[in-house]
Amino acid sequence: MTIKEAIIKSLEDLDRLANSIEICDHILANNYYEFAGKTPPATVSAQLGDFIRNGDTRVKRIKQSNGTYSYYLTKNEQNIGIDILSGDTETQITKPIKINKSKTYEERDLHKLLSSYLKNTDTYSKTIFHEQSNGKDNNQIWTHPDMIGIKFLNLQTKASQNFLKSINRVDTFKLSSYELKREINSDSELKKAFFQAVSNSSWANYGYLVAFEFSDSLNEEMARLNQSFGIGIVELNANPYQSKVLFPAVYRDLDFKTIDKLCKMNKEFEKFIEQTEKLMTASEKYASGAEKELDEFCDDYFANDTEVENYCRDKHIPTDEE
């Protein structure tokens, strides 16, 4: 495993705030990585700094009273406790990728990057292939999202879970819609893609336009469109965990008539809704099985950074190193 993978694995094992020395000791104790130099703590400390500087959403840090930093995995945030994390937590924004214009990757090659980014935020996602839908509607690309996702509110105790469900079951989850593009370089491209996202996400709580590259000249127009229509905008990165939300989406109530229409049109969409309902209504005894079934039905995602690097190389997706 790489040094980055060793750090992620150690933070996952520790499941608490840990400084660079503690993380390094855990790596050495478990033989997760063989250090070439004589200063493993310095190597781990430098790599932890890179996680933060590069905007890798998997890792966060908090400044301690003595001026040092402790680190933790974002997905373990609730396990660690809100009171502990009330200090100065930090993430930084990565610089935009410089795209090689000779790229040959396909738009759908980006889906696994997006699913991995979403999985890191505890969102289950599924690609919806509009060409597999019933009917003869030639404008199905304006009806179907490229991907859909669901995020469940992660409450720790059974009492709090049952209490929330008894008040309003809708508050236990949020459904999102994603329109995915390779690149958006002009005002006309932005407007076409944006209103396709508006059309495709009318049924969902949140709608997003996602692209691998946005022209810097479009920032002002993206802000205006986001403010007017509430569609969020995400810049996807070749390292999916360094992807970032440029503009957040605005919450909307679900449109059940459109959900019903999409279920009739597309079997995969219908099955996603069925799997979601099954997990929501499962008793405590069967909840883990229903969650595993939903996870297996949803899109694949990367297990580690090596898989990401190999995939981008195989699909000719440009990275920061190129």
Side-chain angles (χ1 to χ4, degrees), residues 99-106 110 182-183 185 212-213 315-318 322:
I99 303 297
N100 180 355
K101 294 303 180 180
S102 64
K103 58 183 176 287
T104 58
Y105 67 93
E106 301 294 332
L110 299 176
R182 282 179 26 148
E183 55 185 342
N185 294 315
F212 193 67
E213 180 188 21
K315 298 295 183 181
H316 306 289
I317 297 174
E322 296 184 1

Side-chain angles (χ1 to χ4, degrees), residues 273-305:
I273 298 299
E274 288 176 349
Q275 294 284 355
T276 298
E277 188 273 337
K278 185 176 181 179
L279 177 55
M280 287 175 54
T281 58
S283 64
E284 186 177 13
K285 180 180 179 180
Y286 299 106
S288 60
E291 184 175 7
K292 181 180 179 181
E293 192 174 327
L294 174 63
D295 188 53
E296 291 175 348
F297 170 72
C298 287
D299 287 353
D300 291 336
Y301 47 88
F302 299 110
N304 52 53
D305 293 294

Side-chain angles (χ1 to χ4, degrees), residues 188-214:
S188 60
E189 288 179 0
L190 173 62
K191 285 186 170 61
K192 181 178 179 180
F194 191 90
F195 287 109
Q196 191 175 343
V198 171
S199 177
N200 290 347
S201 67
S202 63
W203 58 276
N205 294 128
Y206 298 102
Y208 289 94
L209 171 62
V210 184
F212 193 67
E213 180 188 21
F214 290 98

Side-chain angles (χ1 to χ4, degrees), residues 1 36 83 114 118 136-137 173 244 255 261 269 282 317:
M1 91 177 42
D83 54 333
L114 180 56
L118 294 172
K136 300 179 180 179
D137 183 4
F173 70 95
K244 56 181 181 283
D255 178 354
K261 175 183 177 181
F269 187 95
I317 297 174

Side-chain angles (χ1 to χ4, degrees), residues 4-18 23 48 51-52 56-62 70-81 85 89-91 120-122 241 305:
K4 289 175 65 177
E5 291 166 358
I7 290 173
I8 294 293
K9 180 70 169 99
S10 295
L11 286 172
E12 188 171 7
D13 292 346
L14 294 167
D15 195 17
R16 61 174 173 81
L17 291 173
I23 297 168
L48 285 164
F51 274 110
I52 303 302
D56 193 312
T57 56
R58 291 173 294 179
V59 177
K60 290 184 179 180
R61 73 181 182 184
I62 182 171
S70 293
Y71 299 83
Y72 65 96
L73 289 186
T74 303
K75 68 178 184 179
N76 291 343
E77 201 159 32
Q78 290 204 12
N79 299 339
I80 294 171
L85 299 179
T89 58
E90 296 186 28
T91 55
N120 189 56
T121 66
D122 293 323
Y241 315 110
D305 293 294

